[in-house]
Amino acid sequence: MLPHAIADVAERIFGDTPVAVSLQTIGTAYLLPTQIEHQILRIAQEALTNVLKHAHASQVEIKVMYSPEFCLQIRDDGQGFDINQIGPRTTDRFGVRGMQERADRIGGCFKIASQVGLGTTVQVTVPCKPALEAPYH
């Protein structure tokens, strides 16, 4: 199940740090097609790794939202950065281009919002149908 996999990734990344991580699942969880789940998990891994390496955050909130569309949101309270100063070299360094490409591959919408001193939010939304009709928990 995707929320558990994201929780496992977060535990591996932040397990030995003082960063407080919370994960909230909103809506009734359902299986997504395997390719979509894989790309979402990799986006989560990159975003969380960026928080550890660059944000100097004390808290990270992860929301996994299920509705007619799927949405993953990762928000930190770190130092943030000026989005307008992202250039091709910076984008590569922070993996933003890779996250964007992964979202594009699955027909998703990738957004990143940040302000210096106010943290960063990464969000990917995918309009998709469940892989199976029955929900799971």
Side-chain angles (χ1 to χ4, degrees), residues 34-44 102 105-106:
T34 304
Q35 178 64 13
I36 292 175
E37 286 201 358
H38 175 76
Q39 297 299 339
I40 294 290
L41 186 59
R42 295 297 162 243
I43 291 168
R102 287 181 183 280
R105 275 185 222 141
I106 57 176

Side-chain angles (χ1 to χ4, degrees), residues 80-87 91 96 112-116 120-121:
F81 61 95
D82 183 352
I83 292 284
N84 297 318
Q85 301 219 345
I86 291 181
T91 300
V96 174
I112 186 165
S114 188
Q115 257 186 325
V116 175
T120 301
T121 301

Side-chain angles (χ1 to χ4, degrees), residues 12-125:
R12 282 195 306 273
I13 292 171
F14 296 105
D16 293 332
T17 73
V19 178
V21 178
S22 66
L23 186 142
Q24 181 181 11
T25 301
I26 300 168
T28 302
Y30 50 79
L31 283 173
L32 297 169
T34 304
Q35 178 64 13
I36 292 175
E37 286 201 358
H38 175 76
Q39 297 299 339
I40 294 290
L41 186 59
R42 295 297 162 243
I43 291 168
Q45 182 177 24
E46 182 67 32
L48 293 170
T49 299
N50 286 344
V51 172
L52 180 66
K53 288 182 177 179
H54 307 292
H56 306 289
S58 61
Q59 296 182 338
V60 178
E61 290 180 355
I62 305 167
K63 291 183 181 177
V64 179
M65 297 168 269
Y66 292 90
S67 65
E69 59 187 16
F70 173 87
C71 182
L72 169 70
Q73 183 181 79
I74 298 173
R75 176 179 298 158
D76 69 67
D77 68 347
Q79 65 185 5
F81 61 95
D82 183 352
I83 292 284
N84 297 318
Q85 301 219 345
I86 291 181
R89 296 184 77 189
T90 305
T91 300
D92 286 340
R93 193 174 107 214
F94 290 110
V96 174
R97 180 180 295 147
M99 289 187 283
Q100 176 69 63
E101 288 173 358
R102 287 181 183 280
D104 289 347
R105 275 185 222 141
I106 57 176
C109 177
F110 176 80
K111 295 180 184 177
I112 186 165
S114 188
Q115 257 186 325
V116 175
L118 297 177
T120 301
T121 301
V122 169
Q123 181 173 302
V124 62
T125 304

